[in-house]
């Protein structure tokens, strides 16, 4: 049994390592969005020549990157807000059972999004689709973010599902399930 | 039938603590599948996840969140409170009033009420307690002052409402100004009343020298700069709300640098936190988007509007009922969750009664503020309790006078929509 828990823990460490890379990229994207929009305003008002490419770059890649890359790490940190008034008063075992429901449905939901996104990415990649605009940005580079992000979250939720089941069956404790109780980063209102 | 199953799935998941965005997305997919089968689900899931985040106006959310994080690490809030406290500390209840004014000032440069409550808890609360304030009263004024951030622009909550209601972000943000000032004065009046009815609650501060008072004013410069970079440019139409948000974040970055805090170890976590919260909000919007498709197909809002019309009630009676629903929801649900779950249903109803969508957005936010300071899940009270290390019940009790005062403000703004709509109509 201990061994099984060991596999779960090492998988969790691998996912976390990948997620740290994801988050770093997203944080850089965040800074780039800020500088590009500010630069666009400056060039438009001061030099009278706005960046024609700014909105496509931000919309297609940067915003999509921030969203999809952070999707899974945010779940790991419990940063996705929920109505936890009932959850918080549940006994731990009932919480685990509730988490099983969340993780079963969530794995399916994000796996489907990842699969559909993957098909769309492959099709755009093979046909070399570009957007109609002053710069013909390739669409696949944007579409690929969907399977990368949603796929990662599906993997993470599947891992949590297995850990929930093992914890329910054996009473094993997994730090990654419990360390981030309650809400994660605050400040959304 | 599809409607019942879709809603049942949604509520079961929400009760089990599934993240709101996930729960809405999953139940939306279940409902869509029941109505249109696999083709419909694939069609929507192919485009919705990406198109949800690629909209130009959505950029306001990460940028205002980044601005809030940077303003937090700049330490400007401490100085803001100290400056106001030095000027009004000699008045009875002065530090309480300073908290409200600092809360309003902070709200003008930060769009997140939890961030604001946390900041005020860390600065003004210890100052009041040191001064011998009744802890209950001190905690209450901090909790309510934090809510100003979701009303006074930039406000994340108003932007989310605008995205859901397909209304002008610029007009909504500007519409929050006058009600924000009214709420600030209401807090001041409540503090004054509490201090007047029992002076032991709020001892007067020792005087500050004039030189010190003037020295403390230097914080006002950066604050006005940020306020001008955001609300100023939106109001004058110089830049779009998206551009204003990025300018605000950039301005906040400059303030951090000016104050000598632009170190990697400080900035990086701010960017990371802003990405997390942006993702969380975008996920909720995606869930709402998927669920919205399903909801539109069930035509439930049209039947609701028709049924309410058939009742032949006066608009104000319906409006009162709607407000009571929001107050009840606010006691146990997150404010953003309330917005995404209710606005698509409520808004058509409100419009059919002849009300204005901008006005309704402000009313909903002002009403939602009450939920932040009422039990059992008033988030601001929990934040204050945690910082102050006081029992949360005491904070709730201390917020009670402010809840009552706030309800009067809601009644006023509901009765006189012109108070809300006058300023945005000048744009």
């Amino acid at each position: 049994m201990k061994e099984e828990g060991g596999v779960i823990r090492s998988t969790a460490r691998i996912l976390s390592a990948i997620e740290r890379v994801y988050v770093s990229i997203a944080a850089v994207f965040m800074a780039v969005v800020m500088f590009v929009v500010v630069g666009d305003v400056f060039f438009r008002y001061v030099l009278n020549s706005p960046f024609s490419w700014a909105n496509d770059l931000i919309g297609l890649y940067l915003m999509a990157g921030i969203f999809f890359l952070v999707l899974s790490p945010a779940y790991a940190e419990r940063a996705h807000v929920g109505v936890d008034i009932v959850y918080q008063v549940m006994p731990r075992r009932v919480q685990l059972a509730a988490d099983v429901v969340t993780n079963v449905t969530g794995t399916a939901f994000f796996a489907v999004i990842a699969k559909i996104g993957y098909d769309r990415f492959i099709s755009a990649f093979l046909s070399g689709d570009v957007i109609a605009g002053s710069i013909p940005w390739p669409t696949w580079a944007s579409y690929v973010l969907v399977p990368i992000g949603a796929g990662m979250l599906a993997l993470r939720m599947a891992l949590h599902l297995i850990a929930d089941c093992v914890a329910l069956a054996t009473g094993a404790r997994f730090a990654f399930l419990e360390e981030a109780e309650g809400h994660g980063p605050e400040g959304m209102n | 039938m599809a409607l019942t199953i879709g809603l049942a799935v949604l509520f079961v998941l929400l009760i089990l603590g599934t993240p709101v965005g996930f729960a809405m997305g999953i139940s939306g997919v279940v409902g869509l599948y029941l109505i249109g089968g696999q083709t419909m689900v694939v069609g929507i899931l192919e485009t919705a996840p990406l198109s949800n985040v690629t909209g130009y106006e959505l950029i306001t959310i990460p940028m205002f969140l980044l601005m809030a994080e940077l303003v937090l690490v700049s330490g400007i809030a401490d100085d803001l409170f100290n400056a106001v406290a030095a000027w009004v500390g000699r008045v009875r209840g002065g530090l309480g009033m300073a908290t409200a004014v600092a809360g309003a000032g902070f709200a003008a440069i930060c769009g997140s009420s939890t961030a604001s409550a946390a900041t005020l808890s860390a600065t003004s609360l210890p100052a009041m307690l040191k001064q011998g304030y009744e802890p209950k009263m001190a905690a209450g004024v901090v909790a309510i002052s934090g809510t100003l951030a979701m009303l006074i622009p930039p406000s994340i909550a108003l932007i989310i409402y605008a995205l859901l209601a397909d209304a002008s972000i610029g007009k909504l943000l500007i519409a929050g100004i006058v009600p924000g000032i009214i709420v600030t004065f209401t807090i001041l009046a409540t503090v004054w009343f509490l201090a007047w009815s029992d002076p032991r609650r709020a001892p007067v501060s020792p005087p500050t020298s004039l030189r010190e008072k003037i020295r403390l004013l230097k914080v006002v410069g950066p604050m006005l700069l940020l306020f001008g970079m955001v609300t100023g440019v939106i109001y004058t139409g110089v830049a779009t709300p998206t551009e204003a948000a990025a300018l605000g974040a950039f301005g906040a970055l400059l303030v951090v640098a000016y104050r000598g805090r632009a170190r990697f170890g400080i900035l990086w976590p701010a960017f990371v936190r802003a990405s997390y919260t942006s993702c969380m909000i975008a996920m909720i919007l995606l869930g709402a988007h998927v669920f919205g498709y399903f909801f539109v197909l069930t035509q439930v809002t049209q039947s609701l509007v028709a049924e309410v019309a058939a009742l032949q009630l006066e608009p104000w009676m319906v409006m009162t009922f709607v407000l009571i629903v929001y107050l009840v929801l606010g006691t146990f649900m997150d404010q953003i969750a309330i917005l995404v779950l209710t606005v698509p249903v409520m808004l058509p109803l409100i419009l059919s009664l002849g009300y204005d969508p901008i006005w309704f957005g402000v009313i909903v936010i002002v009403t939602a503020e009450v939920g932040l300071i009422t039990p059992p899940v008033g988030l601001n009270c929990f934040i204050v309790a945690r910082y102050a290390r006081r029992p949360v019940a005491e904070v709730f009790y201390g917020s009670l006078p402010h809840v009552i005062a706030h309800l009067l403000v809601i009644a006023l703004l509901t009765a006189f929509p012109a108070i809300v709509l006058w300023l945005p109509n000048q744009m």
Side-chain angles (χ1 to χ4, degrees), chain B residues 14-351:
Chain B
L14 285 178
I15 288 168
L16 292 180
T18 307
V20 176
F22 297 16
M24 293 187 88
I26 292 163
S27 52
V29 163
V30 170
L32 286 167
Y33 185 81
L34 292 173
I35 293 175
Q38 195 182 334
T39 327
M40 184 176 276
V41 172
V42 172
I44 284 164
L45 288 189
E46 187 167 47
T47 51
L50 260 181
S51 65
N52 176 57
V53 288
T54 50
Y56 176 72
E57 295 195 314
L58 194 81
I59 305 169
T60 47
I61 289 180
M63 288 300 104
F64 276 137
L65 287 170
L66 181 59
M67 179 178 174
E69 293 289 351
L70 291 172
V71 164
L72 275 185
V73 300
S74 74
I76 202 172
D78 311 18
D79 296 2
L80 195 58
F81 172 75
N82 291 339
V84 184
W87 284 86
V88 298
R90 296 292 293 161
V91 181
R92 181 174 295 169
L95 284 185
M97 295 184 183
T99 303
V101 174
F106 194 63
I109 53 175
C110 168
S112 153
S113 80
T114 37
S116 184
T119 310
L120 291 173
S121 302
T123 54
S124 63
L125 195 55
M128 279 190 281
L129 294 177
K130 195 172 147 202
Q131 199 60 54
Y133 269 57
E134 184 188 40
K136 195 172 69 187
M137 173 181 171
V141 67
V142 170
I144 182 75
S145 299
T147 69
L148 285 168
M150 66 192 283
L151 187 57
I152 296 177
S155 152
I156 305 287
L158 278 172
I159 294 172
I160 291 174
Y161 172 88
L163 291 170
L164 291 168
D166 207 12
S168 155
I169 292 181
K171 276 191 188 279
L172 266 160
L173 289 177
I174 298 302
I177 295 178
V178 173
I181 293 170
I182 293 176
V183 171
T184 309
F185 275 99
T186 309
I187 300 171
L188 293 178
T190 311
V191 169
W192 177 84
F193 175 80
L194 289 173
W196 171 80
S197 60
D198 184 355
R200 283 168 301 175
R201 281 177 175 148
V204 174
S205 312
T208 314
S209 71
L210 188 62
R211 178 193 296 240
E212 178 67 4
K213 281 181 184 173
I214 289 168
R215 192 189 66 81
L216 286 168
L217 276 183
K218 73 179 191 304
V219 67
V220 174
M223 223 209 78
L224 285 180
L225 170 82
L226 285 179
F227 181 73
M229 276 174 102
V230 177
T231 306
V233 298
I234 293 176
Y235 184 74
T236 52
V238 169
T240 64
T242 299
E243 291 163 349
L247 285 172
F250 184 67
L253 182 64
L254 293 182
V255 172
V256 175
Y258 171 72
R259 295 168 71 92
R261 297 194 184 194
R263 289 190 296 275
F264 184 80
I266 291 177
L267 291 178
W268 185 252
F271 280 86
V272 168
R273 280 195 302 272
S275 329
Y276 272 84
T277 317
S278 305
C279 173
M280 183 270 288
I281 290 175
M283 183 62 227
I284 291 181
L285 290 173
L286 170 61
H289 200 58
V290 174
F291 194 81
Y293 273 119
F294 159 61
F295 221 57
V296 166
L297 290 173
T298 62
Q299 304 206 314
V300 64
T301 40
Q302 289 94 319
S303 359
L304 179 73
V305 170
E307 276 168 32
V308 172
L311 290 175
Q312 308 225 316
L313 297 170
E314 292 289 323
W316 67 266
M317 293 167 81
V318 181
M319 193 61 211
T320 308
F321 179 74
V322 166
L323 288 178
I324 291 171
V325 169
Y326 274 107
L327 286 172
V328 172
L329 288 177
T331 60
F332 65 93
M333 270 173 72
D334 177 82
Q335 277 59 41
I336 292 176
I338 295 174
L339 285 179
V340 293
L341 289 168
T342 62
V343 167
V345 186
M346 293 289 195
L347 189 65
L349 176 66
I350 296 300
L351 295 181

